[in-house]
């Protein structure tokens, strides 16, 4: 059974040149042959540019039953380091390779990668090609932490969303971002109270509308609200709690 492998050369122009190796791609053979016969810059670049290799014999001779051009993948434009690693891992997987051997121009040796899934290969590549990361600028060490925090926020939004039917998800995300500690372990009613305070401070609410209308009514009496549509809105409009504005005002005035 064939043990397929990818042989690659990654240069300082952020181009990955790759060749397909069909047989004996496991480390005890191909890995050793690369270290023994192709362990300098010129030879590594040459073998990675072969295109197709059936196998390399014990004397370092290349046997090829087919001819094809090497693949070249640009990993520079609009990619950060994490994206570049992901593209490398996908290339290995697209080859159907069990192993990959990549020579980075700046390191001067072969990096051995085992195909145990895309995510695993990204981690292996990050460790073994760490010096190449400098081509992509400073590495954001907090990126994974930020992604983890955002996932926690989105999970919490999903959890509390039934409490706020019809509420925009962006507003709920903003609420959870700023009140995560306040609502941890809180009851539904406490969460609603926290949200109501957050909403009233940051967004125009029905309460704003009510206060304006009632202030006028207190000053001018019942005749101040002469517009029937405005009066009807006050009586019939429903907030996210299912209360009419009038009911909400009564609760808040207690």
């Amino acid at each position: 059974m064939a043990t397929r492998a990818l042989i690659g050369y990654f240069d300082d122009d952020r181009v990955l040149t790759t060749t397909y190796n069909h047989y004996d791609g496991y480390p005890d053979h191909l890995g050793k042959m690369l270290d023994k016969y192709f362990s300098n810059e010129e030879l590594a670049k040459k073998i990675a540019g072969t295109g197709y290799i059936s196998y390399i014999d014990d004397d370092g001779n290349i046997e090829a039953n087919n001819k094809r051009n090497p693949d070249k993948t640009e990993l520079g434009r609009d990619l950060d380091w994490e994206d570049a690693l992901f593209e490398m891992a996908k290339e290995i997987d697209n080859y159907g390779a069990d192993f990959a051997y990549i020579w980075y121009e700046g390191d001067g040796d072969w990096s051995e990668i085992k195909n145990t899934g895309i995510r695993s290969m990204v981690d292996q590549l990050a460790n073994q090609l760490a010096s190449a990361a400098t081509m992509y600028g400073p590495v954001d060490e907090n990126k994974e932490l930020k992604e983890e925090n955002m996932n926690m926020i989105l999970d919490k939004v999903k959890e509390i969303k039934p409490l706020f039917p019809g509420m925009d998800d962006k507003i709920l995300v903003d609420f959870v971002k700023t009140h995560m500690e306040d609502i941890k372990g809180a009851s539904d009613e406490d969460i609603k109270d926290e949200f109501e305070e957050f909403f009233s401070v940051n967004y125009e609410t029905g309460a704003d509308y009510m206060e304006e209308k009632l202030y006028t009514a207190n000053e001018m009496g019942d005749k101040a609200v002469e517009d029937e549509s405005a009066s009807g809105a006050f009586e019939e409009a429903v907030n996210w709690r299912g209360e009419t504005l009038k009911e909400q005002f009564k609760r808040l005035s207690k």
Side-chain angles (χ1 to χ4, degrees), residues 37-217:
Y37 296 108
F38 304 93
S39 58
N40 65 46
E41 195 75 28
E42 182 181 351
L43 292 174
K45 189 173 185 178
K46 183 176 180 179
I47 193 169
T50 302
Y52 183 95
I53 296 173
S54 296
Y55 64 94
I56 300 176
D57 68 20
D58 290 340
D59 295 322
N61 298 309
I62 297 174
E63 300 293 335
N65 296 330
N66 297 297
K67 289 186 178 182
R68 62 182 264 189
N69 293 324
D71 293 311
K72 291 184 179 291
T73 306
E74 293 187 9
L75 300 172
R77 186 176 301 172
D78 300 327
L79 294 180
D80 61 20
W81 180 227
E82 182 80 12
D83 293 333
L85 294 173
F86 183 75
E87 291 301 318
M88 286 187 201
K90 284 202 304 182
E91 187 75 358
I92 297 168
D93 201 55
N94 289 341
Y95 267 50
D98 300 295
F99 296 93
Y101 305 89
I102 298 176
W103 182 285
Y104 169 50
E105 185 175 358
D107 281 344
D109 60 11
W110 291 102
S111 295
E112 176 190 311
I113 307 298
K114 184 176 182 180
N115 188 349
T116 49
I118 298 291
R119 182 67 255 178
S120 171
M121 288 193 288
V122 167
D123 292 339
Q124 293 176 64
L125 288 162
N127 289 330
Q128 298 204 41
L129 299 177
S131 58
T134 57
M135 293 191 295
Y136 293 83
V139 177
D140 186 357
E141 296 179 352
N142 294 319
K143 182 175 181 180
E144 289 188 9
L145 181 60
K146 290 175 183 176
E147 290 176 352
E148 182 180 348
N149 287 342
M150 180 52 70
N151 288 334
M152 290 175 59
I153 289 168
L154 294 176
D155 286 344
K156 193 64 178 180
V157 167
K158 185 177 180 181
E159 178 187 329
I160 68 170
K161 188 173 176 60
L163 300 177
F164 308 101
M167 185 58 62
D168 191 295
D169 284 351
K170 291 180 180 179
I171 295 177
L172 292 177
V173 167
D174 287 343
F175 168 62
V176 173
K177 276 182 179 179
T178 54
H179 289 72
M180 178 67 88
E181 293 301 318
D182 297 326
I183 62 177
K184 276 184 179 178
S187 67
D188 289 353
E189 285 304 313
D190 286 341
I191 293 173
K192 288 180 179 180
D193 288 341
E194 287 286 345
F195 179 80
E196 186 165 315
E197 181 179 352
F198 159 82
F199 195 68
S200 65
V201 169
N202 295 280
Y203 299 91
E204 184 178 358
T205 67
D208 297 331
Y209 170 81
M210 286 188 303
E211 287 169 4
E212 178 183 347
K213 294 299 179 183
L214 287 171
Y215 178 78
T216 305

Side-chain angles (χ1 to χ4, degrees), residues 23-34 55-58:
Y23 293 109
D24 299 333
Y26 46 87
D28 281 346
H29 181 75
L30 181 57
K32 288 181 178 180
M33 294 303 100
L34 291 173
Y55 64 94
I56 300 176
D57 68 20
D58 290 340

Side-chain angles (χ1 to χ4, degrees), residues 5-21:
L6 174 150
I7 301 172
Y9 180 89
F10 188 40
D11 62 36
D12 284 334
D13 292 325
R14 306 184 191 182
V15 175
L16 177 67
T17 302
T18 52
T19 282
Y20 173 79
N21 182 93

